[in-house]
Structures are given as C-alpha cells and as structure tokens.
Amino acid sequence: MTIAGLAREAGVGVETVRYYQRRGLLETPERPSGIGRGSVRRYGIEDVRRLRFIRAAQAAGFTLAQIEELLALDATDDRKRARELASEQIAALDVKIEGFEKARASLRRLAHECGSGAAGPCPILTSFEQSHD
C-alpha cells in the first residue's frame, strides 16, 4: 500500500507517518526500481501494526522516546524493562488522575456556589482570575 493507504489504515495523516519516519519510529521503505511500479514507496501490514502500536502507546500516555524504547525492547524481548516502563506510566497516570479529580471537585464546588443565587460575581470566574495572579 502507499503512504496514503498506510495512513488511512492506521487512522492518521500522511504527515504523521512522515514525522514518525523522521523520528526513526517507522521505517521508510526504498523506492522500487522496476518499470511499471513507478517510484512510489510501498508499505505492508507490519507497518500498519507498528503505526497502530505507536498511536495506542501515545493514547496510553507514553512519550515518543518511551515508545522508541518499547519498540527496541520488542526486538530484544526484554519484558522486564517493558513492565518497568508500563509501571512508570501507570504511576504518572495516577498522578494525573488525582489532579483531575481535585479539579473536578473544585469545579463542582464552584458550580454549586455559582448557582446559590448569592449576589456578586460568579465564583467560577473569580476563581480563574485569581489563579493567574
């Protein structure tokens, strides 16, 4: 398949594929030299699999550097290091989740105060103004 087909199969844009290639996360195939095929690079199902893995790992919060390491570990079958990276990411997600839960609780409180009908400025708006001072 062409780069456009690869991008479509993985649900990304062509420029995303090219970016991953520049980063070394995805191979850039050689252009064919035979007559009739033109000079269009061709990608296979393994390229789709790798690209989907990169996107899924990003969705899980891994950085591109961590994804690069995970891909290298896949070639060596180093499961211990892969588990360590996953555990580190779980801990980072736990911190983010805690922050989101605190933010949600604060917004609930502010929304309740805003709906109380008390006179004066809305507590939600004044809260955000104070956070920029």
Side-chain angles (χ1 to χ4, degrees):
M1 72 189 81
T2 64
I3 193 169
L6 172 65
R8 187 173 41 256
E9 285 291 317
V12 300
V14 170
E15 287 306 313
T16 300
V17 174
R18 289 185 177 129
Y19 176 72
Y20 292 154
Q21 289 173 328
R22 286 191 303 272
R23 291 282 314 245
L25 297 172
L26 193 63
E27 294 286 324
T28 303
E30 295 294 320
R31 292 186 188 276
S33 59
I35 297 174
R37 291 196 63 183
S39 62
V40 177
R41 299 178 198 277
R42 297 293 175 179
Y43 298 85
I45 194 67
E46 279 304 308
D47 298 306
V48 174
R49 184 191 71 78
R50 189 174 182 105
L51 188 50
R52 286 180 177 162
F53 169 79
I54 293 167
R55 298 301 287 171
Q58 278 186 306
F62 286 100
T63 66
L64 291 180
Q66 290 169 322
I67 293 169
E68 184 176 9
E69 184 176 359
L70 286 169
L71 289 168
L73 290 172
D74 184 47
T76 64
D77 202 29
D78 186 351
R79 291 183 177 205
K80 181 182 179 197
R81 179 61 185 143
R83 272 193 318 275
E84 289 171 358
L85 284 169
S87 294
E88 290 170 10
Q89 188 56 32
I90 290 168
L93 288 172
D94 286 343
V95 169
K96 287 181 181 181
I97 289 168
E98 183 180 341
F100 287 139
E101 287 173 344
K102 286 179 181 178
R104 181 180 56 198
S106 293
L107 282 172
R108 279 190 177 144
R109 179 182 49 76
L110 290 168
H112 177 73
E113 289 176 14
C114 189
S116 69
C122 174
I124 295 172
L125 300 177
T126 57
S127 172
F128 287 128
E129 287 174 0
Q130 293 171 359
S131 66
H132 287 86
D133 291 341

